[in-house]
Amino acid sequence: MFHPRRLHPRHVLRALLLPLTAGLALTALPAQTAQAASTLTNGGFENDGAGAAVPNGWSEYGDTGASFSESGGHGGSYRLSHWASTAYKVETYQYLSGLTNGSYKLTAWVRSGGGQNSAYLALKNCGGAEQRTDLPVSASGWIRVVVPVTVTNNQCTISVTSDANAGNWLNVDDLIFAAGTAGLTVKGADISSLAKSEAKGGVYRTSSGATGDAVTILKNAGMNYARLKVWVNPADGYNNKARVLAVAKRVKAAGQKLLVDFHYSDTWADPGAQAKPAAWAGHSYSQLKTDVYHHTYDVLNALKAQGTTADMVQVGNEINGGMLWSEGSTANWGQLAGLLNSGYDAVKAVSSSTSVALHLAKGGDLTGTRWWFDNAVANGVKFDAIGLSYYGYWHGTLADFQTTLDDAAARYAKPVFLAETAYPFRLDSEDALENIIDLSGELVSGYPATTAGQLAWMNAVANIVEAVPNGRGLGVFYWEATWTAVSGNGWDPTDASSGNGWENQALFGYDDRPLPAMAWFGHR
């Protein structure tokens, strides 16, 4: 995570919305008979060309004039669009029968200007509960989404639905309905701030207002994985080995898995700072390799000894430029590789089944991610998974994120996950420190700083990770879900008076109750 002291001046995002082409309002034809076949017809909307009020193979319901095909497809020349100059509700659907019962997955490429009351793909009447995937707001780039379903009655209806305001639009193209499954294994959050928050008087409440345990509240919302950072000898005595051991007991007691995030520093390690711990200052490169091994082994072995073995470990945090500068800088890949492999070997010495991830803050940077991991592979770095930070207000568009994530999964044949993301539910601050994101101009277009906007953001990124091909999208970690405004629990471990600048991006509101965005933990 980037640090408050390095976030000014602000990085204001440019608006990325493209103007919708004029002349889209068409007169609807009578709805056609629903298709009855075991395969999807005209999933690319190429059969009719532009201007088809009811695309071949599809039927419509509602304000049918708002659904039509037009030029500008994803893979071909044409696409399905929903748009009208007045508020509208419309469904474009196709009925499939004669299906063999089993698991299926709908894949589609989508774009949307946002603003709808709802806009989603659905699989329904398939024998079980309707499955939906909301369309992300992405005006400039196509995004692939998936919808999985279990067919139990030999039929299924594929639906594109809009409940929209005047001028709202969406595009859908290249739909494929085939055997397959989807979902997220990891629905997690970083809760590294929790122990200090509680010690300084922080309170967490249930939705009814009763005082509760934050770990339990998050678990009840569907969180199944906790991420905890480890510093070597921090000035405030938190996020060290002893504190991690204590919180790990609570995490495992709640039936959750554990990701341990080694910073190899006494304070924040991120793309702008990878300072060695004071105890390792002046050590030679050879000594640093030993330091990494011993520190990693010590923490993980202590976790194992108390019955809370780590399920995943990050060797380094946001190591775009390497770690343990300057010896472990990317200016010397041979030495960086040695340090990373020292950490990997320590992890496996404690538990061979613990997965080792490498973590970059390059969620929307395809070129940078390739450069880094190409060098890692060329230098023999060992790793099991790839984690990327992706904050939409810093790291490019959702389409950029999907391109980078998909490429990393395919290029290195490794599972990938979103190691850090978050989004504000309001802009004003609850403590004296201005929030890191506190201006509307800093937000991602289409995602307001509201409780609904925060939830929509989480659904969007979760849907992108779920859609990584070949089942390589592991899941998502929300960054610092419990970092509410509590006096003494600021961002600077050397300054007890520092605020945190992040309380408007926690998953607990200013009333200490769970926010609606916790619903994303219930992602399939």
Side-chain angles (χ1 to χ4, degrees), residues 288-488:
L288 288 172
K289 285 199 297 182
T290 301
D291 292 333
V292 168
Y293 187 95
H294 286 166
H295 172 60
T296 306
Y297 185 94
D298 179 50
V299 173
L300 296 179
N301 195 51
L303 284 165
K304 180 180 179 180
Q306 70 171 13
T308 60
T309 300
D311 300 282
M312 187 185 297
V313 168
Q314 282 180 217
V315 176
N317 185 76
E318 293 189 332
I319 50 176
N320 298 10
M323 65 184 198
L324 293 167
W325 289 346
S326 60
E327 286 81 359
S329 164
T330 50
N332 190 331
W333 264 101
Q335 291 192 171
L336 174 57
L339 292 169
L340 293 172
N341 283 340
S342 187
Y344 179 96
D345 291 343
V347 175
K348 298 299 183 177
V350 173
S351 169
S352 60
S353 62
T354 297
S355 179
V356 177
L358 299 180
H359 171 212
L360 303 184
K362 287 183 173 289
D365 182 358
L366 173 64
T367 300
T369 300
R370 278 187 174 184
W371 174 85
W372 200 96
F373 278 100
D374 281 357
N375 275 288
V377 171
N379 283 276
V381 176
K382 296 175 285 189
F383 61 100
D384 304 316
I386 293 171
L388 297 176
S389 293
Y390 173 65
Y391 296 91
Y393 35 72
W394 293 325
H395 295 147
T397 67
L398 287 166
D400 292 335
F401 172 52
Q402 181 166 71
T403 298
T404 305
L405 196 68
D406 288 356
D407 184 78
R411 190 175 182 89
Y412 308 106
K414 301 287 186 182
V416 295
F417 63 98
L418 178 49
E420 292 185 19
T421 193
Y423 206 76
F425 61 92
R426 59 196 292 171
L427 293 174
D428 60 311
S429 181
E430 194 181 6
D431 62 19
L433 181 68
E434 67 175 294
N435 292 329
I436 294 171
I437 301 297
D438 65 350
L439 297 175
S440 59
E442 296 171 311
L443 300 173
V444 180
S445 180
Y447 294 91
T450 62
T451 58
Q454 185 186 44
L455 174 58
W457 176 259
M458 289 310 299
N459 285 336
V461 294
N463 290 336
I464 286 174
V465 177
E466 181 186 28
V468 173
N470 300 311
R472 288 192 174 124
L474 285 180
V476 178
F477 287 93
Y478 194 93
W479 196 72
E480 283 292 9
T482 58
W483 205 4
T484 54
V486 176
S487 180

Side-chain angles (χ1 to χ4, degrees), residues 68-228:
F68 45 86
S69 65
E70 65 175 339
S71 297
H74 168 261
S77 299
Y78 306 101
R79 67 196 183 200
L80 172 71
S81 292
H82 286 180
W83 178 88
S85 59
T86 58
Y88 63 93
K89 296 180 181 180
V90 68
E91 177 184 15
T92 308
Y93 65 94
Q94 188 169 149
Y95 166 69
L96 300 180
S97 62
L99 295 170
T100 300
N101 288 340
S103 298
Y104 288 84
K105 181 172 66 176
L106 175 69
T107 303
W109 288 88
V110 302
R111 297 192 302 190
S112 172
Q116 298 96 335
N117 299 315
S118 60
Y120 58 88
L121 302 180
L123 297 176
K124 57 186 184 178
N125 307 319
C126 310
E130 177 178 330
Q131 297 296 314
R132 293 184 180 182
T133 296
D134 293 334
L135 268 64
V137 180
S138 177
S140 58
W142 289 93
I143 292 175
R144 185 184 60 257
V145 296
V146 298
V147 192
V149 75
T150 300
V151 173
T152 59
N153 61 354
N154 305 111
Q155 64 184 21
C156 199
T157 298
I158 297 168
S159 171
V160 183
T161 298
S162 293
D163 177 357
N165 301 298
N168 294 162
W169 63 272
L170 64 76
N171 304 144
V172 178
D173 201 5
D174 295 336
L175 290 94
I176 298 173
F177 184 74
T181 59
L184 297 179
T185 301
V186 174
K187 291 168 277 190
D190 192 306
I191 57 171
S192 298
S193 61
L194 179 59
K196 188 174 180 181
S197 174
E198 292 172 333
K200 300 297 181 181
V203 174
Y204 299 88
R205 303 185 185 278
T206 65
S207 57
S208 65
T211 301
D213 174 70
V215 174
T216 302
I217 293 168
L218 289 162
K219 179 213 173 163
N220 290 341
M223 180 175 131
N224 65 7
Y225 227 117
R227 179 179 186 252
L228 299 174

Side-chain angles (χ1 to χ4, degrees), residues 18 20 30 33 35 122 154 159 164 179 188 196 262 271 373 399 401 408 485 500:
L18 296 179
L20 188 64
T33 303
Q35 191 75 18
N154 305 111
S159 171
K196 188 174 180 181
F262 284 92
F373 278 100
F401 172 52
N500 75 33

